[in-house]
PDB file of all heavy atoms in Angstrom:
ATOM      1  N   SER E  41      70.167 -22.111 -17.050  1.00 98.00           N
ATOM      2  CA  SER E  41      68.843 -22.009 -16.423  1.00 98.00           C
ATOM      3  C   SER E  41      67.973 -20.990 -17.081  1.00 98.00           C
ATOM      4  O   SER E  41      66.745 -21.004 -16.888  1.00 98.00           O
ATOM      5  CB  SER E  41      69.053 -21.705 -14.939  1.00 98.00           C
ATOM      6  OG  SER E  41      69.784 -22.736 -14.300  1.00 98.00           O
ATOM      7  N   PHE E  42      68.538 -20.051 -17.831  1.00 98.00           N
ATOM      8  CA  PHE E  42      67.798 -19.035 -18.513  1.00 98.00           C
ATOM      9  C   PHE E  42      68.577 -18.827 -19.863  1.00 98.00           C
ATOM     10  O   PHE E  42      69.860 -19.000 -19.913  1.00 98.00           O
ATOM     11  CB  PHE E  42      67.797 -17.693 -17.778  1.00 98.00           C
ATOM     12  CG  PHE E  42      67.075 -17.722 -16.477  1.00 98.00           C
ATOM     13  CD1 PHE E  42      67.696 -18.038 -15.377  1.00 98.00           C
ATOM     14  CD2 PHE E  42      65.681 -17.402 -16.440  1.00 98.00           C
ATOM     15  CE1 PHE E  42      66.988 -18.130 -14.105  1.00 98.00           C
ATOM     16  CE2 PHE E  42      65.015 -17.406 -15.243  1.00 98.00           C
ATOM     17  CZ  PHE E  42      65.652 -17.793 -14.075  1.00 98.00           C
ATOM     18  N   ILE E  43      67.859 -18.514 -20.913  1.00 98.00           N
ATOM     19  CA  ILE E  43      68.532 -18.070 -22.164  1.00 98.00           C
ATOM     20  C   ILE E  43      68.270 -16.557 -22.321  1.00 98.00           C
ATOM     21  O   ILE E  43      67.123 -16.099 -22.451  1.00 98.00           O
ATOM     22  CB  ILE E  43      67.972 -18.786 -23.335  1.00 98.00           C
ATOM     23  CG1 ILE E  43      68.184 -20.353 -23.229  1.00 98.00           C
ATOM     24  CG2 ILE E  43      68.603 -18.334 -24.682  1.00 98.00           C
ATOM     25  CD1 ILE E  43      69.642 -20.770 -23.227  1.00 98.00           C
ATOM     26  N   ASP E  44      69.304 -15.770 -22.340  1.00 98.00           N
ATOM     27  CA  ASP E  44      69.205 -14.344 -22.550  1.00 98.00           C
ATOM     28  C   ASP E  44      69.082 -14.072 -24.058  1.00 98.00           C
ATOM     29  O   ASP E  44      69.739 -14.693 -24.918  1.00 98.00           O
ATOM     30  CB  ASP E  44      70.515 -13.647 -22.058  1.00 98.00           C
ATOM     31  CG  ASP E  44      70.382 -12.093 -22.061  1.00 98.00           C
ATOM     32  OD1 ASP E  44      70.554 -11.520 -23.126  1.00 98.00           O
ATOM     33  OD2 ASP E  44      70.072 -11.576 -20.994  1.00 98.00           O
ATOM     34  N   VAL E  45      68.134 -13.166 -24.428  1.00 98.00           N
ATOM     35  CA  VAL E  45      67.932 -12.876 -25.790  1.00 98.00           C
ATOM     36  C   VAL E  45      68.050 -11.350 -25.966  1.00 98.00           C
ATOM     37  O   VAL E  45      67.273 -10.603 -25.368  1.00 98.00           O
ATOM     38  CB  VAL E  45      66.516 -13.305 -26.266  1.00 98.00           C
ATOM     39  CG1 VAL E  45      66.329 -13.016 -27.743  1.00 98.00           C
ATOM     40  CG2 VAL E  45      66.245 -14.735 -25.938  1.00 98.00           C
ATOM     41  N   ASN E  46      69.090 -10.963 -26.743  1.00 98.00           N
ATOM     42  CA  ASN E  46      69.364  -9.495 -26.904  1.00 98.00           C
ATOM     43  C   ASN E  46      69.438  -9.263 -28.472  1.00 98.00           C
ATOM     44  O   ASN E  46      70.233  -9.810 -29.175  1.00 98.00           O
ATOM     45  CB  ASN E  46      70.677  -9.167 -26.246  1.00 98.00           C
ATOM     46  CG  ASN E  46      71.063  -7.673 -26.375  1.00 98.00           C
ATOM     47  OD1 ASN E  46      70.938  -7.138 -27.448  1.00 98.00           O
ATOM     48  ND2 ASN E  46      71.390  -7.081 -25.310  1.00 98.00           N
ATOM     49  N   ALA E  47      68.568  -8.363 -28.883  1.00 98.00           N
ATOM     50  CA  ALA E  47      68.494  -8.039 -30.321  1.00 98.00           C
ATOM     51  C   ALA E  47      68.835  -6.623 -30.605  1.00 98.00           C
ATOM     52  O   ALA E  47      68.383  -6.032 -31.622  1.00 98.00           O
ATOM     53  CB  ALA E  47      67.069  -8.333 -30.859  1.00 98.00           C
ATOM     54  N   GLY E  48      69.731  -6.085 -29.744  1.00 96.00           N
ATOM     55  CA  GLY E  48      69.962  -4.643 -29.848  1.00 96.00           C
ATOM     56  C   GLY E  48      70.981  -4.141 -30.822  1.00 96.00           C
ATOM     57  O   GLY E  48      71.065  -2.941 -31.068  1.00 96.00           O
ATOM     58  N   ALA E  49      71.747  -5.090 -31.443  1.00 96.00           N
ATOM     59  CA  ALA E  49      72.901  -4.633 -32.213  1.00 96.00           C
ATOM     60  C   ALA E  49      72.578  -4.037 -33.621  1.00 96.00           C
ATOM     61  O   ALA E  49      73.322  -3.170 -34.081  1.00 96.00           O
ATOM     62  CB  ALA E  49      73.881  -5.712 -32.349  1.00 96.00           C
ATOM     63  N   ARG E  50      71.553  -4.525 -34.238  1.00 92.00           N
ATOM     64  CA  ARG E  50      71.228  -3.980 -35.546  1.00 92.00           C
ATOM     65  C   ARG E  50      70.279  -2.780 -35.359  1.00 92.00           C
ATOM     66  O   ARG E  50      69.043  -2.900 -35.228  1.00 92.00           O
ATOM     67  CB  ARG E  50      70.528  -5.070 -36.417  1.00 92.00           C
ATOM     68  CG  ARG E  50      71.385  -6.336 -36.623  1.00 92.00           C
ATOM     69  CD  ARG E  50      71.058  -7.004 -37.926  1.00 92.00           C
ATOM     70  NE  ARG E  50      69.668  -7.245 -38.073  1.00 92.00           N
ATOM     71  CZ  ARG E  50      69.104  -7.468 -39.289  1.00 92.00           C
ATOM     72  NH1 ARG E  50      69.817  -7.510 -40.385  1.00 92.00           N
ATOM     73  NH2 ARG E  50      67.805  -7.739 -39.401  1.00 92.00           N
ATOM     74  N   ILE E  51      70.934  -1.597 -35.457  1.00 91.00           N
ATOM     75  CA  ILE E  51      70.197  -0.380 -35.130  1.00 91.00           C
ATOM     76  C   ILE E  51      68.972  -0.240 -36.038  1.00 91.00           C
ATOM     77  O   ILE E  51      69.046  -0.411 -37.227  1.00 91.00           O
ATOM     78  CB  ILE E  51      71.139   0.873 -35.340  1.00 91.00           C
ATOM     79  CG1 ILE E  51      72.477   0.732 -34.633  1.00 91.00           C
ATOM     80  CG2 ILE E  51      70.389   2.201 -35.003  1.00 91.00           C
ATOM     81  CD1 ILE E  51      72.353   0.693 -33.162  1.00 91.00           C
ATOM     82  N   GLY E  52      67.829   0.098 -35.404  1.00 93.00           N
ATOM     83  CA  GLY E  52      66.615   0.318 -36.192  1.00 93.00           C
ATOM     84  C   GLY E  52      65.895  -1.020 -36.420  1.00 93.00           C
ATOM     85  O   GLY E  52      64.730  -1.065 -36.931  1.00 93.00           O
ATOM     86  N   HIS E  53      66.478  -2.152 -36.095  1.00 95.00           N
ATOM     87  CA  HIS E  53      65.818  -3.476 -36.323  1.00 95.00           C
ATOM     88  C   HIS E  53      65.492  -4.168 -35.035  1.00 95.00           C
ATOM     89  O   HIS E  53      65.079  -5.407 -35.072  1.00 95.00           O
ATOM     90  CB  HIS E  53      66.832  -4.378 -37.210  1.00 95.00           C
ATOM     91  CG  HIS E  53      66.986  -3.962 -38.544  1.00 95.00           C
ATOM     92  ND1 HIS E  53      66.249  -4.391 -39.626  1.00 95.00           N
ATOM     93  CD2 HIS E  53      67.920  -2.981 -39.091  1.00 95.00           C
ATOM     94  CE1 HIS E  53      66.688  -3.810 -40.768  1.00 95.00           C
ATOM     95  NE2 HIS E  53      67.693  -2.949 -40.431  1.00 95.00           N
ATOM     96  N   GLU E  54      65.565  -3.546 -33.875  1.00 97.00           N
ATOM     97  CA  GLU E  54      65.484  -4.305 -32.633  1.00 97.00           C
ATOM     98  C   GLU E  54      64.082  -4.997 -32.463  1.00 97.00           C
ATOM     99  O   GLU E  54      64.031  -6.136 -32.101  1.00 97.00           O
ATOM    100  CB  GLU E  54      65.785  -3.422 -31.433  1.00 97.00           C
ATOM    101  CG  GLU E  54      65.830  -4.283 -30.145  1.00 97.00           C
ATOM    102  CD  GLU E  54      66.206  -3.448 -28.872  1.00 97.00           C
ATOM    103  OE1 GLU E  54      66.270  -2.247 -28.970  1.00 97.00           O
ATOM    104  OE2 GLU E  54      66.359  -4.152 -27.837  1.00 97.00           O
ATOM    105  N   VAL E  55      62.998  -4.227 -32.826  1.00 97.00           N
ATOM    106  CA  VAL E  55      61.713  -4.827 -32.655  1.00 97.00           C
ATOM    107  C   VAL E  55      61.539  -6.099 -33.524  1.00 97.00           C
ATOM    108  O   VAL E  55      61.128  -7.142 -33.085  1.00 97.00           O
ATOM    109  CB  VAL E  55      60.588  -3.791 -32.995  1.00 97.00           C
ATOM    110  CG1 VAL E  55      59.210  -4.506 -32.952  1.00 97.00           C
ATOM    111  CG2 VAL E  55      60.627  -2.627 -32.007  1.00 97.00           C
ATOM    112  N   GLU E  56      61.836  -5.918 -34.824  1.00 97.00           N
ATOM    113  CA  GLU E  56      61.638  -7.063 -35.645  1.00 97.00           C
ATOM    114  C   GLU E  56      62.583  -8.272 -35.394  1.00 97.00           C
ATOM    115  O   GLU E  56      62.207  -9.422 -35.434  1.00 97.00           O
ATOM    116  CB  GLU E  56      61.772  -6.657 -37.230  1.00 97.00           C
ATOM    117  CG  GLU E  56      63.155  -6.140 -37.559  1.00 97.00           C
ATOM    118  CD  GLU E  56      63.377  -5.905 -39.029  1.00 97.00           C
ATOM    119  OE1 GLU E  56      63.238  -6.820 -39.853  1.00 97.00           O
ATOM    120  OE2 GLU E  56      63.637  -4.702 -39.366  1.00 97.00           O
ATOM    121  N   ASP E  57      63.824  -7.897 -35.011  1.00 98.00           N
ATOM    122  CA  ASP E  57      64.824  -8.969 -34.665  1.00 98.00           C
ATOM    123  C   ASP E  57      64.411  -9.707 -33.406  1.00 98.00           C
ATOM    124  O   ASP E  57      64.463 -10.952 -33.326  1.00 98.00           O
ATOM    125  CB  ASP E  57      66.220  -8.360 -34.516  1.00 98.00           C
ATOM    126  CG  ASP E  57      66.817  -7.979 -35.830  1.00 98.00           C
ATOM    127  OD1 ASP E  57      66.209  -8.229 -36.881  1.00 98.00           O
ATOM    128  OD2 ASP E  57      67.944  -7.382 -35.847  1.00 98.00           O
ATOM    129  N   MET E  58      63.992  -8.973 -32.364  1.00 98.00           N
ATOM    130  CA  MET E  58      63.519  -9.612 -31.137  1.00 98.00           C
ATOM    131  C   MET E  58      62.341 -10.463 -31.433  1.00 98.00           C
ATOM    132  O   MET E  58      62.244 -11.620 -30.892  1.00 98.00           O
ATOM    133  CB  MET E  58      63.198  -8.543 -30.053  1.00 98.00           C
ATOM    134  CG  MET E  58      62.741  -9.092 -28.758  1.00 98.00           C
ATOM    135  SD  MET E  58      63.956 -10.098 -27.919  1.00 98.00           S
ATOM    136  CE  MET E  58      64.652  -8.956 -26.724  1.00 98.00           C
ATOM    137  N   LYS E  59      61.379  -9.985 -32.191  1.00 98.00           N
ATOM    138  CA  LYS E  59      60.182 -10.772 -32.562  1.00 98.00           C
ATOM    139  C   LYS E  59      60.624 -12.055 -33.278  1.00 98.00           C
ATOM    140  O   LYS E  59      60.084 -13.144 -32.862  1.00 98.00           O
ATOM    141  CB  LYS E  59      59.267  -9.921 -33.397  1.00 98.00           C
ATOM    142  CG  LYS E  59      57.899 -10.640 -33.705  1.00 98.00           C
ATOM    143  CD  LYS E  59      56.906  -9.686 -34.231  1.00 98.00           C
ATOM    144  CE  LYS E  59      55.522 -10.417 -34.402  1.00 98.00           C
ATOM    145  NZ  LYS E  59      55.670 -11.731 -35.029  1.00 98.00           N
ATOM    146  N   TRP E  60      61.441 -11.966 -34.237  1.00 98.00           N
ATOM    147  CA  TRP E  60      61.853 -13.190 -34.983  1.00 98.00           C
ATOM    148  C   TRP E  60      62.622 -14.170 -34.119  1.00 98.00           C
ATOM    149  O   TRP E  60      62.304 -15.384 -34.082  1.00 98.00           O
ATOM    150  CB  TRP E  60      62.664 -12.814 -36.190  1.00 98.00           C
ATOM    151  CG  TRP E  60      63.095 -14.063 -36.949  1.00 98.00           C
ATOM    152  CD1 TRP E  60      62.359 -14.729 -37.853  1.00 98.00           C
ATOM    153  CD2 TRP E  60      64.303 -14.761 -36.850  1.00 98.00           C
ATOM    154  NE1 TRP E  60      63.041 -15.855 -38.262  1.00 98.00           N
ATOM    155  CE2 TRP E  60      64.216 -15.847 -37.718  1.00 98.00           C
ATOM    156  CE3 TRP E  60      65.519 -14.586 -36.109  1.00 98.00           C
ATOM    157  CZ2 TRP E  60      65.308 -16.797 -37.809  1.00 98.00           C
ATOM    158  CZ3 TRP E  60      66.546 -15.493 -36.184  1.00 98.00           C
ATOM    159  CH2 TRP E  60      66.484 -16.550 -37.112  1.00 98.00           C
ATOM    160  N   LEU E  61      63.452 -13.587 -33.184  1.00 98.00           N
ATOM    161  CA  LEU E  61      64.189 -14.522 -32.304  1.00 98.00           C
ATOM    162  C   LEU E  61      63.232 -15.219 -31.353  1.00 98.00           C
ATOM    163  O   LEU E  61      63.387 -16.412 -31.121  1.00 98.00           O
ATOM    164  CB  LEU E  61      65.232 -13.667 -31.485  1.00 98.00           C
ATOM    165  CG  LEU E  61      66.558 -13.429 -32.199  1.00 98.00           C
ATOM    166  CD1 LEU E  61      67.418 -12.375 -31.459  1.00 98.00           C
ATOM    167  CD2 LEU E  61      67.404 -14.641 -32.409  1.00 98.00           C
ATOM    168  N   LEU E  62      62.308 -14.522 -30.795  1.00 98.00           N
ATOM    169  CA  LEU E  62      61.379 -15.137 -29.875  1.00 98.00           C
ATOM    170  C   LEU E  62      60.429 -16.136 -30.564  1.00 98.00           C
ATOM    171  O   LEU E  62      60.158 -17.258 -30.052  1.00 98.00           O
ATOM    172  CB  LEU E  62      60.593 -14.096 -29.084  1.00 98.00           C
ATOM    173  CG  LEU E  62      61.382 -13.212 -28.152  1.00 98.00           C
ATOM    174  CD1 LEU E  62      60.448 -12.205 -27.457  1.00 98.00           C
ATOM    175  CD2 LEU E  62      62.145 -14.071 -27.094  1.00 98.00           C
ATOM    176  N   ASP E  63      59.968 -15.781 -31.824  1.00 98.00           N
ATOM    177  CA  ASP E  63      59.213 -16.738 -32.593  1.00 98.00           C
ATOM    178  C   ASP E  63      59.994 -17.988 -32.784  1.00 98.00           C
ATOM    179  O   ASP E  63      59.450 -19.099 -32.784  1.00 98.00           O
ATOM    180  CB  ASP E  63      58.909 -16.135 -33.948  1.00 98.00           C
ATOM    181  CG  ASP E  63      57.599 -15.309 -33.974  1.00 98.00           C
ATOM    182  OD1 ASP E  63      56.722 -15.612 -33.128  1.00 98.00           O
ATOM    183  OD2 ASP E  63      57.535 -14.403 -34.783  1.00 98.00           O
ATOM    184  N   THR E  64      61.293 -17.895 -32.958  1.00 98.00           N
ATOM    185  CA  THR E  64      62.138 -19.048 -33.213  1.00 98.00           C
ATOM    186  C   THR E  64      62.477 -19.818 -31.958  1.00 98.00           C
ATOM    187  O   THR E  64      62.473 -21.053 -31.937  1.00 98.00           O
ATOM    188  CB  THR E  64      63.528 -18.529 -33.843  1.00 98.00           C
ATOM    189  OG1 THR E  64      63.232 -17.702 -34.956  1.00 98.00           O
ATOM    190  CG2 THR E  64      64.484 -19.643 -34.190  1.00 98.00           C
ATOM    191  N   ILE E  65      62.793 -19.061 -30.899  1.00 98.00           N
ATOM    192  CA  ILE E  65      63.287 -19.779 -29.682  1.00 98.00           C
ATOM    193  C   ILE E  65      62.159 -20.276 -28.725  1.00 98.00           C
ATOM    194  O   ILE E  65      62.251 -21.364 -28.217  1.00 98.00           O
ATOM    195  CB  ILE E  65      64.125 -18.757 -28.816  1.00 98.00           C
ATOM    196  CG1 ILE E  65      65.421 -18.384 -29.628  1.00 98.00           C
ATOM    197  CG2 ILE E  65      64.478 -19.300 -27.465  1.00 98.00           C
ATOM    198  CD1 ILE E  65      66.186 -17.208 -29.106  1.00 98.00           C
ATOM    199  N   GLU E  66      61.101 -19.455 -28.612  1.00 96.00           N
ATOM    200  CA  GLU E  66      60.018 -19.835 -27.616  1.00 96.00           C
ATOM    201  C   GLU E  66      59.571 -21.239 -27.794  1.00 96.00           C
ATOM    202  O   GLU E  66      59.378 -21.993 -26.752  1.00 96.00           O
ATOM    203  CB  GLU E  66      58.914 -18.773 -27.756  1.00 96.00           C
ATOM    204  CG  GLU E  66      57.732 -19.044 -26.776  1.00 96.00           C
ATOM    205  CD  GLU E  66      57.939 -18.944 -25.308  1.00 96.00           C
ATOM    206  OE1 GLU E  66      59.033 -18.443 -24.887  1.00 96.00           O
ATOM    207  OE2 GLU E  66      57.129 -19.438 -24.610  1.00 96.00           O
ATOM    208  N   PRO E  67      59.250 -21.752 -29.008  1.00 95.00           N
ATOM    209  CA  PRO E  67      58.721 -23.122 -29.084  1.00 95.00           C
ATOM    210  C   PRO E  67      59.698 -24.179 -28.674  1.00 95.00           C
ATOM    211  O   PRO E  67      59.230 -25.330 -28.354  1.00 95.00           O
ATOM    212  CB  PRO E  67      58.392 -23.288 -30.564  1.00 95.00           C
ATOM    213  CG  PRO E  67      58.340 -21.891 -31.165  1.00 95.00           C
ATOM    214  CD  PRO E  67      59.283 -21.123 -30.300  1.00 95.00           C
ATOM    215  N   VAL E  68      60.991 -23.900 -28.690  1.00 95.00           N
ATOM    216  CA  VAL E  68      61.910 -24.998 -28.347  1.00 95.00           C
ATOM    217  C   VAL E  68      62.644 -24.789 -27.016  1.00 95.00           C
ATOM    218  O   VAL E  68      63.263 -25.749 -26.534  1.00 95.00           O
ATOM    219  CB  VAL E  68      62.995 -25.122 -29.477  1.00 95.00           C
ATOM    220  CG1 VAL E  68      62.422 -25.460 -30.770  1.00 95.00           C
ATOM    221  CG2 VAL E  68      63.916 -23.835 -29.508  1.00 95.00           C
ATOM    222  N   ALA E  69      62.473 -23.627 -26.409  1.00 94.00           N
ATOM    223  CA  ALA E  69      63.186 -23.408 -25.126  1.00 94.00           C
ATOM    224  C   ALA E  69      62.532 -24.131 -23.972  1.00 94.00           C
ATOM    225  O   ALA E  69      61.363 -23.890 -23.725  1.00 94.00           O
ATOM    226  CB  ALA E  69      63.312 -21.932 -24.824  1.00 94.00           C
ATOM    227  N   THR E  70      63.297 -25.009 -23.330  1.00 97.00           N
ATOM    228  CA  THR E  70      62.745 -25.719 -22.209  1.00 97.00           C
ATOM    229  C   THR E  70      63.084 -25.018 -20.892  1.00 97.00           C
ATOM    230  O   THR E  70      62.696 -25.483 -19.776  1.00 97.00           O
ATOM    231  CB  THR E  70      63.347 -27.120 -22.107  1.00 97.00           C
ATOM    232  OG1 THR E  70      64.813 -27.018 -22.207  1.00 97.00           O
ATOM    233  CG2 THR E  70      62.874 -27.996 -23.256  1.00 97.00           C
ATOM    234  N   VAL E  71      63.706 -23.866 -20.982  1.00 98.00           N
ATOM    235  CA  VAL E  71      63.956 -22.971 -19.838  1.00 98.00           C
ATOM    236  C   VAL E  71      63.435 -21.603 -20.072  1.00 98.00           C
ATOM    237  O   VAL E  71      63.180 -21.277 -21.217  1.00 98.00           O
ATOM    238  CB  VAL E  71      65.520 -22.960 -19.480  1.00 98.00           C
ATOM    239  CG1 VAL E  71      66.129 -24.308 -19.193  1.00 98.00           C
ATOM    240  CG2 VAL E  71      66.263 -22.209 -20.599  1.00 98.00           C
ATOM    241  N   PRO E  72      63.194 -20.835 -19.008  1.00 98.00           N
ATOM    242  CA  PRO E  72      62.657 -19.440 -19.237  1.00 98.00           C
ATOM    243  C   PRO E  72      63.713 -18.566 -19.983  1.00 98.00           C
ATOM    244  O   PRO E  72      64.943 -18.884 -19.967  1.00 98.00           O
ATOM    245  CB  PRO E  72      62.387 -18.889 -17.823  1.00 98.00           C
ATOM    246  CG  PRO E  72      62.776 -19.938 -16.866  1.00 98.00           C
ATOM    247  CD  PRO E  72      63.303 -21.167 -17.574  1.00 98.00           C
ATOM    248  N   LEU E  73      63.222 -17.537 -20.530  1.00 98.00           N
ATOM    249  CA  LEU E  73      64.082 -16.565 -21.285  1.00 98.00           C
ATOM    250  C   LEU E  73      64.425 -15.300 -20.457  1.00 98.00           C
ATOM    251  O   LEU E  73      63.560 -14.915 -19.606  1.00 98.00           O
ATOM    252  CB  LEU E  73      63.416 -16.186 -22.568  1.00 98.00           C
ATOM    253  CG  LEU E  73      62.995 -17.329 -23.472  1.00 98.00           C
ATOM    254  CD1 LEU E  73      62.478 -16.808 -24.841  1.00 98.00           C
ATOM    255  CD2 LEU E  73      64.186 -18.310 -23.764  1.00 98.00           C
TER     256      LEU E  73
END
Side-chain angles (χ1 to χ4, degrees):
Chain E
S41 297
F42 296 88
I43 299 293
D44 190 277
V45 184
N46 183 314
R50 301 207 310 159
I51 308 295
H53 293 264
E54 188 177 5
V55 173
E56 60 175 302
D57 287 355
M58 180 62 98
K59 185 168 183 315
W60 181 79
L61 278 169
L62 293 179
D63 272 334
T64 304
I65 295 168
E66 176 67 13
V68 299
T70 52
V71 300
L73 304 184

